[in-house]
């Protein structure tokens, strides 16, 4: 019997889930709803090559419209789902259309976290989450403004690097003591700060923005230590899971839709894919976790599709994400936390920082322009065996020797 599978969300996670379902089930009816008018696209280039004009909009779209037609994946774009009823197995859209389903997948992702401050609704205060955001920001950056970036995490620093290369003067305001504090240990934060200062980005630490005074001429940011004038502000302070539909339908929700490692929610016919899903991952311990990474959007939906199609293979990937800033590619694998024992292996401009636990097992790594170490690091983290820390300090020994 043919099943109807509806996917809410036409981003990367929704696309990947639909593709894998079709690969595993030739007969299923697959329908994808997306609030945006665009075909599914990859988001990582938005803060980098899209802003810099190095990538055309056409190249962002992994699949063209003909692919979805050939695969019998029906796309309803520019049509947001407004609610669904688990007991009736029915969704309703903003166009007052109703559809029944056999299986429902929530691939609603996350939205950019905004400032809750006086003046933060000014149109010159932007976030970067989707393609329309990127194109609007690119247009404003072409005017070479005085830019203030609020947030020293990955998205904020990527925007800062791109904007500076476009001719803007750039200030980054970070509420904490260092850059990328959620992702990397202090040693890497210091290197990232030096990189940005070398290129001309002005960094402000422990800078908590309390208000933004707006005038026709400029924006005036008030922090706990200073006032900073800007023509344009980009807020990069993380995302908020898009769980409103799930909450209204009575699903278990807590900073994301709670699922198992295959994406099953608290309702047996409903799954969650990508950044909206929060579940236990062995590399992070026993607490459920939600991640906003390309890897989660790319690979976790495959586990969802397999579970839907009766070919269970739970998600169990070594965490990995990356960032490109100026001429640096930084890859972060596992959980390279500050508390772990750190070993640096440097060869010219290439760096690999290894983070080992008390038993000598590799728990995380940070690679700067050293992608060749990604595969051995991933395998060592997954294996969890004790390593010879003294031998790891010898750069002449390739990491693959420790496998």
């Amino acid at each position: 019997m043919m099943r109807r599978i509806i996917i809410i969300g036409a981003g990367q996670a929704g696309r990947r889930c639909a593709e894998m379902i079709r690969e595993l089930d030739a007969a299923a009816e697959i329908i994808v709803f997306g609030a945006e008018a665009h075909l599914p696209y990859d988001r990582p280039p938005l803060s980098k090559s899209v802003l810099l004009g190095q990538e055309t909009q056409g190249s962002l779209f992994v699949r063209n419209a003909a692919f979805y037609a050939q695969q019998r994946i029906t796309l309803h774009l520019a049509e947001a789902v407004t609610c669904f009823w688990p007991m009736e197995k029915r969704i309703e859209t903003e166009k007052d259309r109703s559809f029944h389903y056999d299986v429902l997948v929530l691939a609603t992702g996350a939205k950019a976290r905004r400032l809750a401050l006086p003046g933060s609704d000014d149109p010159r205060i932007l976030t970067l989450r989707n393609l329309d955001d990127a194109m609007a920001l690119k247009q404003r950056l072409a005017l070479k403004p005085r830019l203030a970036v609020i947030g020293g995490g990955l998205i904020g620093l990527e925007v800062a690097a791109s904007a500076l290369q476009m001719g803007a003067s750039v200030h980054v305001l970070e509420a904490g003591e260092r850059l990328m504090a959620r992702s990397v240990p202090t040693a890497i934060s210091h290197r990232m700060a030096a990189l940005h200062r070398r290129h001309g980005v002005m960094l402000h630490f422990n800078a908590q923005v309390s208000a933004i005074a707006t005038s026709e001429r400029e924006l005036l940011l008030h922090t706990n230590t200073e006032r900073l004038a800007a023509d344009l502000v980009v807020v990069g302070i993380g995302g908020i899971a898009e769980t409103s539909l799930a909450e209204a339908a009575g699903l278990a929700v807590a900073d994301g839709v709670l699922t198992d490692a295959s994406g099953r929610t608290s309702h047996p016919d409903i799954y969650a894919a990508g950044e909206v899903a929060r579940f236990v991952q062995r590399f992070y311990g026993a607490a459920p976790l939600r991640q906003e990474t390309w890897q989660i959007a790319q690979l976790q939906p495959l586990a969802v599709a397999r579970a839907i199609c009766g070919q269970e293979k739970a998600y169990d990937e070594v965490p990995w994400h990356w960032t490109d800033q100026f001429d640096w590619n930084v890859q972060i694998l596992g959980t390279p936390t500050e508390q772990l024992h750190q070993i640096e292996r440097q060869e010219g401009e290439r760096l690999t920082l290894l983070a080992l636990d008390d038993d000598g097992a590799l728990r995380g790594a940070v690679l700067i322009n050293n992608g060749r170490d990604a595969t051995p690091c991933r395998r060592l983290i997954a294996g969890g065996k004790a390593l010879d820390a003294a031998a790891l300090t010898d750069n002449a020994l390739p990491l693959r020797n420790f496998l």
Side-chain angles (χ1 to χ4, degrees), residues 44-55 60 128 130-142 147 155-156 158-166 234:
L46 297 182
S47 56
K48 301 178 281 288
S49 56
V50 170
L51 291 183
L52 293 170
Q54 298 170 345
E55 186 161 3
L60 284 176
L128 177 56
N130 58 40
L131 180 55
D132 291 340
D133 292 340
M135 299 310 294
L137 177 56
K138 178 184 177 182
Q139 185 176 22
R140 289 181 178 270
L141 289 176
L147 173 67
I155 187 67
E158 288 175 356
V159 168
S162 296
L164 192 99
Q165 292 173 80
M166 294 178 69
V234 172

Side-chain angles (χ1 to χ4, degrees), residues 242-260:
E242 288 275 23
T243 60
S244 58
L245 290 177
E247 290 182 62
L251 298 186
V253 170
D255 182 32
V257 178
L258 295 175
T259 75
D260 66 10

Side-chain angles (χ1 to χ4, degrees), residues 25 104 182 198 228 288:
D25 186 341
L104 182 67
R182 295 177 57 188
R198 186 162 65 246
L228 179 68

Side-chain angles (χ1 to χ4, degrees), residues 267-321:
H267 192 282
D269 300 314
I270 302 175
Y271 294 75
E275 297 177 344
V276 75
R278 185 173 182 223
F279 57 101
V280 175
Q281 302 175 52
R282 67 182 174 106
F283 298 101
Y284 289 100
L289 180 77
R290 186 178 67 83
Q291 292 177 282
E292 295 175 18
T293 67
W294 179 90
Q295 181 190 45
I296 283 289
Q298 179 78 359
L299 298 181
Q300 186 268 354
L302 306 186
V304 172
R306 292 187 183 104
I308 290 171
C309 297
Q311 300 186 29
E312 191 89 10
K313 186 179 178 183
Y315 181 84
D316 187 33
E317 299 288 336
V318 172
W320 171 71
H321 57 287

Side-chain angles (χ1 to χ4, degrees), residues 80-337:
V81 173
T82 55
C83 54
F84 65 89
W85 293 269
M87 297 301 294
E88 300 177 25
K89 292 190 174 184
R90 182 171 63 89
I91 70 163
E92 190 169 296
T93 77
E94 62 185 353
K95 295 182 179 180
D96 292 327
R97 298 203 296 168
S98 180
F99 297 80
H100 283 87
Y101 62 83
D102 296 296
V103 177
L104 182 67
V105 179
L106 304 176
T108 48
K111 60 185 176 183
R113 188 182 299 274
R114 303 191 66 90
L115 293 176
L117 296 174
S120 61
D121 57 348
D122 189 282
R124 293 165 292 181
I125 301 174
L126 306 178
T127 57
L128 177 56
R129 184 69 193 179
N130 58 40
L131 180 55
D132 291 340
D133 292 340
M135 299 310 294
L137 177 56
K138 178 184 177 182
Q139 185 176 22
R140 289 181 178 270
L141 289 176
L143 301 176
K144 299 178 173 53
R146 295 172 297 170
L147 173 67
V149 177
I150 300 177
L154 267 63
I155 187 67
L157 294 180
E158 288 175 356
V159 168
S162 296
L164 192 99
Q165 292 173 80
M166 294 178 69
S169 64
V170 182
H171 291 256
V172 173
L173 290 80
E174 166 55 43
E177 296 179 349
R178 59 187 181 92
L179 301 178
M180 293 170 55
R182 295 177 57 188
S183 302
V184 300
T186 299
I188 300 298
S189 293
H190 290 337
R191 289 175 183 270
M192 300 308 298
L195 171 72
H196 279 262
R197 288 189 175 114
R198 186 162 65 246
H199 282 275
V201 176
M202 289 158 278
L203 303 176
H204 307 253
F205 294 103
N206 299 306
Q208 300 171 16
V209 180
S210 57
I212 301 178
T214 64
S215 69
E216 184 177 345
R217 183 168 62 91
E218 64 185 10
L219 302 166
L220 190 61
L221 286 75
H222 294 259
T223 77
N224 49 317
T225 59
E226 62 183 327
R227 292 187 298 175
L228 179 68
D231 304 309
L232 184 67
V233 172
V234 172
V235 180
I237 55 175
I240 301 173
E242 288 275 23
T243 60
S244 58
L245 290 177
E247 290 182 62
L251 298 186
V253 170
D255 182 32
V257 178
L258 295 175
T259 75
D260 66 10
S262 293
R264 292 184 184 84
T265 71
S266 55
H267 192 282
D269 300 314
I270 302 175
Y271 294 75
E275 297 177 344
V276 75
R278 185 173 182 223
F279 57 101
V280 175
Q281 302 175 52
R282 67 182 174 106
F283 298 101
Y284 289 100
L289 180 77
R290 186 178 67 83
Q291 292 177 282
E292 295 175 18
T293 67
W294 179 90
Q295 181 190 45
I296 283 289
Q298 179 78 359
L299 298 181
Q300 186 268 354
L302 306 186
V304 172
R306 292 187 183 104
I308 290 171
C309 297
Q311 300 186 29
E312 191 89 10
K313 186 179 178 183
Y315 181 84
D316 187 33
E317 299 288 336
V318 172
W320 171 71
H321 57 287
W322 84 93
T323 178
D324 293 315
Q325 299 171 31
F326 298 110
D327 56 349
W328 280 19
N329 169 258
V330 182
Q331 299 189 45
I332 304 155
L333 297 99
T335 54
T337 59

